[in-house]
Amino acid sequence: MLYIHCPYCEEHRSEEEFHYKGQAHIARPDDPDNCTDVEWADFIYRRDNPRGEHKEQWYHTVGCRKFFNAIRDTQSYEIKTTYKVGEQPDMAAGIVTGQQGSNAS
Amino acid sequence: MSDRQERDQTRVWMQQLPSGDVRVESPLYHADLPSMMAINDDAGADTAGGVALAELPLQAHLVIRGRAEAPGFQESLTQALGLQVPTRLSSVSDGSQTLRWIGPDEWLLTAPASQAFDIETKLRAALPGHVAVVDVSGGNTILLLSGLHARSVLKKSTSYDVSDRNFPLGKVVTTTMGKSQAVIRRVDELGWELIIRRSFADYLWLWLQDASAEYGLSVHE
Ligand SMILES: [Zn+2]
């Protein structure tokens, strides 16, 4: 079982209190009426499927009921860090960049 | 007309407490807890050991939402209730009203049933800005679990660490309970308060009877 740190409750809670909510930091196109189909499809459907570190959203369902972000290693399941919505991870800069956008969630 | 006046004119809220001639039932009405209290008395059960359970039915439960850091929010809430606003995972109580932190922008207030509408009205008038006050009295009930083995029952029921080191008096956590959930508050050395959902009350009542069977369960008022 994973033991996940909620950045709002500021303590570790057991995995069964949480739900995984997909890839984090996906920016909605600024002008949906005038974006291309490819841009819209990227936003709606296309997701990364990395082997290694993945920035993702989690929801503290049976707890404070807040969404937050986590960086998890998809191979080892290790959660490197968790951070609040609107924040950037407090880690080495290398893994902060390189994903789509950064202004959402 | 100010924004607030305009908004208030379109808002509708109501006294949800039925008048005297309407029968009100707790979600555990069917379990007939009073008849189990009588059994305790007959058998002269030892209430010091084992697990004691009491329901605190039909209280006022109000969900208060707002941004803790918004200007004037905490001050107005404190002034209206006479309670400090509890910080993360804690509660504040004056014996009659108890205010619990649920999340960074959510609190749960309980008070005697008759006060629900007055408090709701008072809070709606007092709280500034983007806030919500919702009477959820009908959706919850309160169980009090105490006795030497109350903690053993909790250990079987939740994965949350209920040791003294992690769960001091006054702490509040929303966590799993059986296959449902509860808002758990440590009320004293041997006592724990569980706020549970109406629709899971019967399930949790069965769960708690089963979990406390080996220690001896007595039901109290
Ligand atoms: Zn949380």
Side-chain angles (χ1 to χ4, degrees), chain B residues 45-113:
Chain B
D46 174 19
T47 56
V51 179
L53 185 129
E55 188 193 9
L56 207 58
L58 308 174
Q59 301 294 295
H61 295 246
L62 294 166
V63 169
I64 301 162
R65 302 293 303 262
R67 281 175 53 238
E69 65 279 15
F73 176 78
Q74 298 204 38
E75 293 81 348
S76 311
L77 190 52
T78 295
Q79 204 161 31
L81 297 176
L83 294 174
Q84 291 295 314
V85 180
T87 53
R88 190 177 53 80
L89 303 178
S90 70
S91 62
V92 174
S93 182
D94 63 8
S96 164
Q97 309 173 101
T98 302
L99 188 59
R100 299 161 190 77
W101 185 94
I102 297 294
D105 54 7
E106 180 173 351
W107 294 265
L108 177 63
L109 176 74
T110 54

Side-chain angles (χ1 to χ4, degrees), chain B residues 85-152:
Chain B
V85 180
T87 53
R88 190 177 53 80
L89 303 178
S90 70
S91 62
V92 174
S93 182
D94 63 8
S96 164
Q97 309 173 101
T98 302
L99 188 59
R100 299 161 190 77
W101 185 94
I102 297 294
D105 54 7
E106 180 173 351
W107 294 265
L108 177 63
L109 176 74
T110 54
S114 58
Q115 295 176 12
F117 188 62
D118 287 347
I119 295 175
E120 184 182 359
T121 306
K122 192 164 62 177
L123 289 178
R124 282 175 185 274
L127 297 178
H130 185 58
V131 297
V133 181
V134 182
D135 184 346
V136 296
S137 307
N140 293 340
T141 193
I142 303 179
L143 298 179
L144 297 169
L145 205 59
S146 57
L148 289 173
H149 287 288
R151 193 190 335 237
S152 313

Side-chain angles (χ1 to χ4, degrees), chain A residues 1 3 5-18 60-66 84, chain B residues 65 88-89 101-106 158-161 166 171-176 180-182 197:
Chain A
M1 186 173 71
Y3 209 39
H5 186 266
C6 171
Y8 294 97
C9 293
E10 295 178 30
E11 56 178 32
H12 284 83
R13 299 291 194 93
S14 66
E15 181 187 348
E16 58 182 349
E17 291 187 12
F18 298 89
H60 197 182
T61 324
V62 188
C64 63
R65 297 203 294 272
K66 283 285 161 190
K84 291 177 182 174
Chain B
R65 302 293 303 262
R88 190 177 53 80
L89 303 178
W101 185 94
I102 297 294
D105 54 7
E106 180 173 351
T158 177
S159 58
Y160 193 75
D161 177 1
N166 190 58
K171 187 168 182 177
V172 175
V173 296
T174 308
T175 187
T176 53
S180 178
Q181 68 182 73
R197 300 282 176 88

